[in-house]
Amino acid sequence: MINARNTAVKILKQVLYNNAYSNTVLSMYLNREDLSKKDRALVTEIVYGTLKYKYTIDSILGSFIKSNLKKMDVDIVNILRMSIYQLRYLDKIPEFAVVNEAVELSKKRSIKLSKLVNGVLRNYLRNKDNFIREDKGNKIDRLCFKYSFPHWITELFITQYGESTGESILKNSNAVPKITVRINSLKAKYEQVWNELKKNGYDVEKGIVCKEAVVIKGGSNIESNPLFRKGYITVQDESAMLVANLMDIEKNMIVLDLCSAPGGKSCHIAELMNNTGKVYSYDLYENKLALVKDNAKRLGIENIICNKMNAERYAEKLSGTADRVLIDVPCSGLGLIRKKPEIKWNKDQQSIDSLIKIQRNIMLNSSKYVKLGGKLVYSTCTLNKMENGENIKWFIKKNPEFKLEKLDYGDFGNIIYHREGYMTILPNDNVDGFFIAKMIKYR
């Protein structure tokens, strides 16, 4: 148990203090350290749970610790954080075990600080009923504490979407995500893969939105499954699958994907074209393009061509060459919080404002690559309207040769179809938050 919790402490340090991605560093440690299946599950639970509820946990710790948490030993702070998470949000671990394990972990760092850990946790247990807090403070403060979001994100969602929808976004962004896979039509049929997954002991259900989606509700690591290794399936959220499905892809097209890594959408487009035409996948970094190449090779895709390019810089050679241009632009990622809870803590309003300039530069350049009658598709994994609808309105005003095409994929409850034609997908138990707009160059 101590080994598992010690691993969790190391991962939290990397994510919260070294800006590492939770999924990447968690995978690295789980593959590197000798942990049982039970301990691997515990580490995953503790890491994601602590990141998810950090705001609430830190608010509670602030009631018992006089010094600034930012000035304390980071390992001790993370031991306290993950212990409060277990005591407050998990009921399968006895309280005495949580406290004892925390104290033992702390002793390895400092005997003196282990006494602080013991005192804080026991003080919390004596006073835990005082931390309901749903009826205290103003509306934003209550929501911040209840759903564990920083003030600026809470205010952004409530201001942009209204109190009811905004609170729903906060709640659903804390949902435990399921794994969804896309069946590769180049190699397999849906029924074939479905039966094979069930035969291998996976608990599966059909996708909610996309016909090529299978939701994995339970089973072993999907990436170690032979179906994945053979390229019959690839992991992709249904919101991301919608992008290629809405691009009106036809065989033998020329398609540019300007921000392509790790290649999920490029590969989906190539599959829809049945390995005809050309998909030019660009990215700023060679190492990220390697991921696109690896995915394409595994999936048996032969019509993807990868090249390094900065999408903010205009490339004359691409002018008027593409039937479709996809720009899945760098964004704040506020729709992905259920999978990457550290987004709550490593983003701020200033960093988002700087992203908007990048997004608009990419839009202006990419529009010049579209043929007459071709289409430009803009997508993000954020819910911030300034990065989404406001960018589209700005672009159309500057580029009247483009007009929005109305998107409609059916009624799924969590999809907002805006009167301008673009769509916002709100996060829920099944899908990430997303935004998609499609524009045709009509003159």
Side-chain angles (χ1 to χ4, degrees), residues 235-248:
V235 177
Q236 189 178 37
D237 191 84
E238 283 193 77
S239 290
M241 289 183 211
L242 272 176
V243 176
N245 281 331
L246 289 166
M247 286 178 67
D248 304 322

Side-chain angles (χ1 to χ4, degrees), residues 290-413:
L291 298 174
V292 182
K293 293 174 185 177
D294 289 345
N295 274 322
K297 183 178 180 181
R298 179 176 59 83
L299 296 169
I301 291 168
E302 301 168 354
N303 61 339
I304 288 181
I305 300 167
C306 294
N307 285 297
K308 180 181 175 181
M309 185 176 76
N310 184 346
E312 279 196 88
R313 295 176 183 171
Y314 176 60
E316 177 68 35
K317 65 181 180 179
L318 298 178
S319 180
T321 61
D323 299 291
R324 301 286 184 270
V325 175
L326 170 61
I327 45 172
D328 188 55
V329 296
C331 70
S332 58
L334 298 182
L336 300 181
I337 289 173
R338 67 192 191 115
K339 288 180 180 170
K340 298 179 179 180
E342 69 272 15
I343 287 172
K344 295 181 184 182
W345 322 120
N346 64 18
K347 301 288 183 183
D348 55 38
Q349 190 65 59
Q350 187 176 359
S351 66
I352 290 179
D353 292 342
S354 65
L355 277 171
I356 292 173
K357 182 180 178 182
I358 294 171
Q359 293 159 355
R360 292 184 175 186
N361 286 341
I362 293 173
M363 292 176 78
L364 290 176
N365 286 329
S366 62
S367 67
K368 297 179 175 67
Y369 309 149
V370 183
K371 293 178 180 177
L372 184 63
K375 297 179 182 181
L376 174 65
V377 176
Y378 177 96
S379 65
T380 75
C381 53
T382 188
L383 299 170
N384 176 23
K385 292 185 177 182
M386 297 304 295
E387 298 175 76
N388 294 339
E390 293 305 311
N391 269 350
I392 300 301
K393 292 173 185 176
W394 171 88
F395 173 79
I396 292 292
K397 187 175 180 179
K398 279 190 167 292
N399 297 271
E401 69 274 22
F402 282 86
K403 64 179 179 181
L404 278 156
E405 284 198 346
K406 189 174 180 62
L407 297 177
D408 189 348
Y409 207 79
D411 184 10
F412 293 95

Side-chain angles (χ1 to χ4, degrees), residues 84-357:
I84 294 292
Y85 168 70
Q86 293 168 82
L87 294 171
R88 184 175 179 84
Y89 297 101
L90 299 182
D91 54 13
K92 57 188 177 184
I93 304 174
E95 292 177 345
F96 74 88
V98 173
V99 176
N100 288 346
E101 297 290 357
V103 171
E104 291 303 312
L105 269 181
S106 304
K107 283 180 180 178
K108 293 184 177 182
R109 282 125 177 123
S110 166
I111 295 295
K112 180 180 178 181
L113 290 176
S114 71
K115 295 178 181 179
L116 170 70
V117 169
N118 184 57
V120 168
L121 296 180
R122 294 191 183 282
N123 203 358
Y124 168 73
L125 288 173
R126 287 193 294 270
N127 295 280
K128 61 183 180 181
D129 292 340
N130 296 334
F131 291 98
I132 304 299
R133 295 262 307 256
E134 292 181 19
D135 59 343
K136 298 178 181 179
N138 62 40
K139 175 181 66 181
I140 297 296
D141 288 341
R142 291 198 304 271
L143 292 173
C144 288
F145 187 84
K146 182 177 181 180
Y147 298 109
S148 195
F149 273 79
H151 193 279
W152 74 270
I153 297 181
T154 304
E155 193 164 39
L156 183 146
F157 287 153
I158 297 300
T159 301
Q160 292 189 357
Y161 289 91
E163 188 169 348
S164 177
T165 301
E167 183 169 359
S168 178
I169 292 171
L170 295 170
K171 178 183 177 181
N172 289 330
S173 293
N174 284 335
V176 177
K178 300 170 186 173
I179 295 172
T180 306
V181 297
R182 187 186 78 240
I183 294 176
N184 178 10
S185 59
L186 296 176
K187 288 192 171 186
K189 295 190 180 297
Y190 194 98
E191 185 178 1
Q192 172 193 356
V193 174
W194 176 274
N195 291 337
E196 195 67 25
L197 285 168
K198 289 185 75 77
K199 181 181 175 182
N200 291 341
Y202 289 89
D203 183 9
V204 295
E205 64 182 25
K206 290 185 177 181
I208 308 301
V209 181
C210 299
K211 65 182 186 300
E212 59 268 73
V214 177
V215 179
I216 310 294
K217 296 170 64 180
S220 58
N221 181 6
I222 196 66
E223 293 187 4
S224 64
N225 186 283
L227 290 170
F228 180 87
R229 294 199 301 268
K230 292 176 182 177
Y232 288 12
I233 57 175
T234 196
V235 177
Q236 189 178 37
D237 191 84
E238 283 193 77
S239 290
M241 289 183 211
L242 272 176
V243 176
N245 281 331
L246 289 166
M247 286 178 67
D248 304 322
I249 295 297
E250 299 174 11
K251 289 183 178 180
N252 297 306
M253 280 185 164
I254 301 297
V255 180
L256 309 183
D257 183 356
L258 298 185
C259 309
S260 64
K265 298 177 188 69
S266 282
C267 290
H268 194 188
I269 292 165
E271 291 166 21
L272 292 175
M273 290 203 296
N274 198 29
N275 258 340
T276 66
K278 297 292 181 186
V279 180
Y280 292 91
S281 297
Y282 296 98
D283 205 88
L284 188 57
Y285 303 104
E286 286 284 359
N287 63 320
K288 289 190 175 182
L289 284 172
L291 298 174
V292 182
K293 293 174 185 177
D294 289 345
N295 274 322
K297 183 178 180 181
R298 179 176 59 83
L299 296 169
I301 291 168
E302 301 168 354
N303 61 339
I304 288 181
I305 300 167
C306 294
N307 285 297
K308 180 181 175 181
M309 185 176 76
N310 184 346
E312 279 196 88
R313 295 176 183 171
Y314 176 60
E316 177 68 35
K317 65 181 180 179
L318 298 178
S319 180
T321 61
D323 299 291
R324 301 286 184 270
V325 175
L326 170 61
I327 45 172
D328 188 55
V329 296
C331 70
S332 58
L334 298 182
L336 300 181
I337 289 173
R338 67 192 191 115
K339 288 180 180 170
K340 298 179 179 180
E342 69 272 15
I343 287 172
K344 295 181 184 182
W345 322 120
N346 64 18
K347 301 288 183 183
D348 55 38
Q349 190 65 59
Q350 187 176 359
S351 66
I352 290 179
D353 292 342
S354 65
L355 277 171
I356 292 173
K357 182 180 178 182

Side-chain angles (χ1 to χ4, degrees), residues 53-65:
Y53 293 107
K54 176 181 171 294
Y55 180 95
T56 306
I57 291 168
D58 284 0
S59 297
I60 290 170
L61 289 175
S63 299
F64 301 112
I65 299 173

Side-chain angles (χ1 to χ4, degrees), residues 5-59:
R5 287 181 170 84
N6 193 46
T7 300
V9 172
K10 290 186 282 188
I11 295 170
L12 287 170
K13 183 177 182 178
Q14 291 295 318
V15 176
L16 291 174
Y17 295 91
N18 295 330
N19 294 318
Y21 294 112
S22 59
N23 56 337
T24 303
V25 72
L26 178 65
S27 177
M28 180 184 73
Y29 272 95
L30 292 184
N31 290 330
R32 189 171 71 185
E33 302 205 356
D34 185 21
L35 296 169
S36 67
K37 185 176 179 180
K38 182 179 179 182
D39 279 354
R40 287 167 67 92
L42 178 62
V43 171
T44 303
E45 173 73 55
I46 289 174
V47 167
Y48 280 124
T50 303
L51 291 174
K52 186 185 300 182
Y53 293 107
K54 176 181 171 294
Y55 180 95
T56 306
I57 291 168
D58 284 0
S59 297

